[in-house]
Amino acid sequence: MSQQFIPAVFYRGGTSKGVFFNAKVLPQDRDTVSKMLVAALGSPDPYGRQLDGMGGGISSLSKAVIIGPPTHPDADVDYTFIQIAVDQPVADWTNNCGNLSSAVGHFAVDEGFVPATDGEALVRIHQTNTRKLIHSRFQVKDGKAETQGDYTIAGVATPGSRIRLDFLDPDGAVTGKLLPTGHVVDTIDLGVDGRFEVSIVDATSLIAYVEAAAFGLTGAETPDQVEATPGVMDKLEALRRRAGVLAGLGAMPEAIGLQTPRIALVSAPVAFEALDGEAFTPDQFDVATRMISMQRAHKAIPGTGGLNLGVATQIAGTIPNRLSKPANAAGEVRVANPSGLVSVGSVVHETERGWTADSAVLFRTARRLMQGEVAIPASNGA
């Protein structure tokens, strides 16, 4: 046969979509699996559309997930996330996707990894990329994860059943430290392109923050406007790679991968119009961001990006902390992004050894969109 067919499920989780696999149907060799996933998503595609695969042409729609038995004593399942580049044959295993994390509990219950009775279910997830635990709480009906409900999230047109994700001990998911450089602010010199202050924070994911005003931006720009502003994307990519070196991910900028760290523009609240046309005033939110993912301006906000920003705003002296309004009494911060608003929560405090984050909380929805088998060209399989 010219193709092989692998059992898979296609999910929307939060504002992302991805192909989910039971670990038992895939080979053990990571390089072989990477080739299979790249082919399944339709990469590399120089046209940026992934027409020959399951991907959607942007980073939030070019993802894969592998679920298997737990290797952690306090977990019910192992969850591994793989980001697939659109225009390159790259499968990045270095980070987590907070949005697709919301669908992991659903998959675990629906596929029989975790038995559940009707009512609220708790699935304890071992996130293998970051070696962290996530608790997913959601409703079960007739033995399956409930998808219908009235909870809405920015960037998704239809309401669904609310999922609560508690990311436990999110410090140092990538580097082992909440502040990898030991500083709340570092300065990166790009020579003729200027000097920039950045805050590098590692909580559920690794992100470098830079103030939008440093590029002459207000923080109200659409993703297309960010990408169209001369020089901005090139400078952000240079800063991102330098931040990766400062965080210890590589000796040289060229050694830093496409996904990790991410880089994000942040600003104080300013009036903006979301991609669906809804207008927001500065009193409706606490901080604004435009995040860059896989060298593209994200149309919403990565789930781990929102969690990280919620933590970063609570660390005194960071750029997000300087620009954000204080969190409410529950530790909640309202984050503006191109698709609207996202509420995130965190518990952060300073100890004798420095800052630490006890937990970070995100609310999402998810839905199984399709199940069956995904076709992979035989030359890319085991």
Side-chain angles (χ1 to χ4, degrees), residues 87-328:
D87 59 352
Q88 301 180 47
V90 174
D92 191 315
W93 299 62
T94 63
N95 215 332
N96 180 31
C97 172
N99 275 302
L100 288 189
S101 297
S102 64
V104 173
H106 280 209
F107 182 92
V109 167
D110 290 355
E111 295 296 315
F113 278 95
V114 178
T117 57
D118 287 8
E120 184 178 81
L122 167 63
V123 175
R124 303 170 304 162
I125 301 164
H126 176 216
Q127 213 296 306
T128 65
N129 306 75
T130 60
R131 302 175 302 281
K132 298 290 186 177
L133 293 175
I134 305 169
H135 285 181
S136 178
R137 291 179 170 86
F138 54 92
Q139 293 297 311
V140 171
K141 182 178 180 181
D142 298 329
K144 299 291 185 181
E146 176 64 275
T147 60
Q148 301 299 307
D150 57 6
Y151 188 73
T152 59
I153 60 174
V156 179
T158 53
S161 183
R162 194 183 79 163
I163 300 163
R164 176 184 172 124
L165 297 170
D166 289 81
F167 291 73
L168 308 184
D169 186 26
D171 288 17
V174 177
T175 66
K177 299 178 181 179
L178 181 60
L179 298 174
T181 69
H183 307 132
V184 292
V185 174
D186 290 280
T187 300
I188 295 177
D189 191 342
L190 294 183
V192 297
D193 286 330
R195 291 166 59 88
F196 297 85
E197 285 191 330
V198 298
S199 290
I200 305 171
V201 180
D202 184 359
T204 71
S205 63
L206 181 63
I207 298 179
Y209 294 100
V210 59
E211 188 171 357
F215 297 89
L217 302 175
T218 67
E221 291 80 8
T222 67
D224 287 345
Q225 289 171 334
V226 172
E227 292 187 358
T229 304
V232 167
M233 294 300 290
D234 288 341
K235 291 177 185 178
L236 286 172
E237 178 61 10
L239 285 172
R240 188 188 71 81
R241 289 182 179 272
R242 296 286 187 89
V245 173
L246 289 178
L249 300 188
M252 300 291 290
E254 297 77 17
I256 305 304
L258 291 176
Q259 186 189 19
T260 308
R262 290 191 180 105
I263 192 163
L265 297 164
V266 283
S267 70
V270 61
F272 78 101
E273 185 176 290
L275 294 177
D276 65 357
E278 184 176 0
F280 293 90
T281 59
D283 62 334
Q284 292 179 275
F285 56 96
D286 303 309
V287 68
T289 188
R290 300 295 183 266
M291 289 199 174
I292 311 302
S293 179
M294 302 294 282
Q295 301 179 337
R296 296 296 305 273
H298 207 286
K299 294 184 183 299
I301 184 171
T304 53
L307 289 161
N308 187 299
L309 183 53
V311 170
T313 60
Q314 305 310 300
I315 302 173
T318 65
I319 293 171
N321 174 260
R322 294 178 193 170
L323 297 171
S324 177
K325 298 175 187 175
N328 65 19

Side-chain angles (χ1 to χ4, degrees), residues 70-96:
T71 58
H72 191 289
D74 297 322
D76 301 308
V77 292
D78 272 7
Y79 150 49
T80 302
F81 169 70
I82 307 95
Q83 177 74 58
I84 307 300
V86 174
D87 59 352
Q88 301 180 47
V90 174
D92 191 315
W93 299 62
T94 63
N95 215 332
N96 180 31

